[in-house]
Amino acid sequence: DAMVIQNPRYQVTQFGKPVTLSCSQTLNHNVMYWYQQKSSQAPKLLFHYYDKDFNNEADTPDNFQSRRPNTSFCFLDIRSPGLGDAAMYLCATTEGEGLGETQYFGPGTRLLVL
Amino acid sequence: AQSVTQPDIHITVSEGASLELRCNYSYGATPYLFWYVQSPGQGLQLLLKYFSGDTLVQGIKGFEAEFKRSQSSFNLRKPSVHWSDAAEYFCAVGLKTSYDKVIFGPGTSLSVIP
């Protein structure tokens, strides 16, 4: 029944060692989002894809990249993780890009940077 | 600048008591408003949303919210809280910038005393 799947649920990496987080969806939605959520804070949008069109938030660090090879999958690449990148990373989808669209969230991947 | 505020960082209520979580927004146009709930270690789930029409909106799990334009508020209510309602609650507003996006408030953590 899972509609937005994130693997792994927990990821440990070393300072400066590249890491990739994965998200897949069975909803066939056009839009996929990546959010960063630090402890006791609101989710912060990093970027999103509308189909293959990529939209980067202005304040998203260059250290964060994303790939969407097909409709179902989207990846978050952190090229050189720092201690400040430790957070929960949430993937979400919407069918379209309208303001009223319901976002469907995955359970998140908690990233720990040692 | 557009923003969403949730004045209460943490609220504790007894099981069976009524609940009201506050949300205020700052946005020039008529907003799209949402309430999401996040259980520990999980992604966010939509409770309800408002675009237009009846200002009292019914959602899932017995929640409702009322849009008050004069107060720029969209408070979430539940007449009788259950222990399973303990979670983090996020108010959010849909914005139209160069593309449509959602901004989340800082969240209110709800604890329920048995």
Side-chain angles (χ1 to χ4, degrees):
Chain A
D1 286 328
M3 297 181 289
V4 183
I5 303 156
Q6 291 188 246
N7 286 308
R9 294 294 306 277
Y10 299 90
Q11 176 74 56
V12 180
T13 190
Q14 293 178 330
F15 183 93
K17 184 175 181 180
V19 65
T20 295
L21 308 182
S22 301
C23 177
S24 63
Q25 52 129 342
T26 60
L27 298 164
N28 202 35
H29 280 176
N30 290 312
V31 192
M32 296 187 76
Y33 306 81
W34 278 105
Y35 289 88
Q36 179 193 62
Q37 185 181 26
K38 296 190 175 180
S39 182
S40 300
Q41 296 185 21
K44 178 180 179 298
L45 182 64
L46 295 173
F47 26 59
H48 78 278
Y49 276 94
Y50 183 88
D51 195 14
K52 295 181 180 178
D53 293 333
F54 177 71
N55 292 280
N56 196 40
E57 289 298 292
D59 57 355
T60 298
D62 293 339
N63 197 25
F64 290 82
Q65 303 286 323
S66 185
R67 295 171 284 135
R68 189 178 186 187
N70 54 54
T71 299
S72 300
F73 286 87
C74 195
F75 300 99
L76 170 62
D77 301 309
I78 308 177
R79 292 191 296 188
S80 181
L83 298 179
D85 296 328
M88 175 77 89
Y89 290 88
L90 297 169
C91 175
T93 74
T94 58
E95 185 173 9
E97 210 175 27
L99 285 175
E101 295 283 341
T102 296
Q103 296 201 27
Y104 294 85
F105 284 84
T109 294
R110 185 167 295 282
L111 178 68
L112 180 63
V113 181
L114 300 179
Chain B
Q2 301 91 346
S3 66
V4 182
T5 57
Q6 294 179 247
D8 304 305
I9 297 174
H10 186 88
I11 285 181
T12 300
V13 299
S14 298
E15 192 168 17
S18 63
L19 171 70
E20 183 170 29
L21 302 182
R22 296 183 291 165
C23 172
N24 294 97
Y25 64 89
S26 172
Y27 187 50
T30 299
Y32 288 70
L33 296 162
F34 308 83
W35 274 100
Y36 283 84
V37 61
Q38 185 179 31
S39 297
Q42 299 297 316
L44 282 71
Q45 180 186 23
L46 180 72
L47 287 175
L48 46 79
K49 58 185 177 182
Y50 170 79
F51 307 148
S52 63
D54 192 347
T55 56
L56 186 62
V57 182
Q58 301 298 320
I60 62 171
K61 305 184 180 185
F63 285 92
E64 65 178 26
E66 186 171 12
F67 170 62
K68 292 186 177 180
R69 185 188 303 276
S70 62
Q71 299 177 17
S72 298
S73 69
F74 188 56
N75 294 349
L76 182 71
R77 300 193 295 248
K78 187 170 184 177
S80 178
V81 171
H82 188 263
W83 63 267
S84 60
D85 293 325
E88 190 85 15
Y89 290 81
F90 293 95
C91 182
V93 60
L95 303 177
K96 182 171 285 293
T97 58
S98 55
Y99 50 85
D100 299 333
K101 62 186 285 186
V102 171
I103 289 183
F104 289 87
T108 297
S109 177
L110 174 65
S111 296
V112 180
I113 300 173

